[in-house]
Amino acid sequence: MMTTSPAASPDSDLARRPARADRRLLVATLARGAVAGMAAGMLFAAMTMWLVVSQGMPVKIPLLAIASIVQGQHAIGAGTASPLLGAVVHLMLSAAFGMVLAWLLRRARTDATAVLIGAGYGLALYVVNFVALGSAVFAVFTRLNQPFQVLNHLVYGVLVALFLLLWRPRQARSARS
């Protein structure tokens, strides 16, 4: 008589299917969040660049400020801050923040709730990045136009939420309709 191990039994395979499906859904959610975060982050950067140019400053100023996260604040004054590094860091942070918001929105009951969570998330990012970290570690961020940064972060959170709502799986869309 041949026996099978518990790992190879049909019952254990059935038990693993939901876990695999949940993992795939989570990975897909996080991937959508990364893309949504980068898309909103690019608009965020464009809005900030528009602001600095409208104030007569060079377009690369926001990217130099972001590069200072990695290179240190001394890099701006020394002229060694890299705008390319700033762009890469900004995209990476935008993707990571978008992934977190996507994870938070998984259980939002309505689209309006998701947008409100996105707005609150954007404002929380502002508080953490500009008020807390800016004041404690990255003083260059405190020199930027703060009301504009509040608006920019709010728009980022709302845009990521909207992007995720528009780009959700079909079954999730039909379930909410």
Side-chain angles (χ1 to χ4, degrees), residues 1-10:
M1 175 162 104
M2 191 166 130
T3 61
T4 59
S5 70
S9 74

Side-chain angles (χ1 to χ4, degrees), residues 62-130:
L63 297 175
L64 299 178
I66 296 164
S68 75
I69 294 170
V70 174
Q71 293 181 289
Q73 292 188 61
H74 67 280
I76 296 174
T80 60
S82 167
L84 178 59
L85 177 63
V88 169
V89 168
H90 192 262
L91 278 176
M92 289 174 54
L93 289 172
S94 296
F97 293 147
M99 291 168 72
V100 171
L101 183 53
W103 183 81
L104 291 172
L105 292 180
R106 292 173 308 141
R107 305 228 192 278
R109 299 248 184 241
T110 66
D111 292 353
T113 301
V115 172
L116 287 173
I117 291 169
Y121 182 76
L123 293 175
L125 282 177
Y126 168 78
V127 169
V128 170
N129 293 338
F130 278 74

Side-chain angles (χ1 to χ4, degrees), residues 2-69:
M2 191 166 130
T3 61
T4 59
S5 70
S9 74
D11 292 337
S12 67
D13 188 46
L14 288 174
R16 278 185 268 168
R17 283 185 190 162
R20 283 187 202 138
D22 288 347
R23 262 184 264 138
R24 277 197 297 270
L25 181 60
L26 179 61
V27 168
T29 297
L30 295 177
R32 285 193 320 276
V35 172
M38 288 189 290
M42 286 190 277
L43 181 61
F44 181 111
M47 289 171 52
T48 304
M49 290 173 173
W50 167 82
L51 177 69
V52 299
V53 167
S54 74
Q55 295 176 337
M57 294 183 274
V59 71
K60 67 182 180 179
I61 292 293
L63 297 175
L64 299 178
I66 296 164
S68 75
I69 294 170

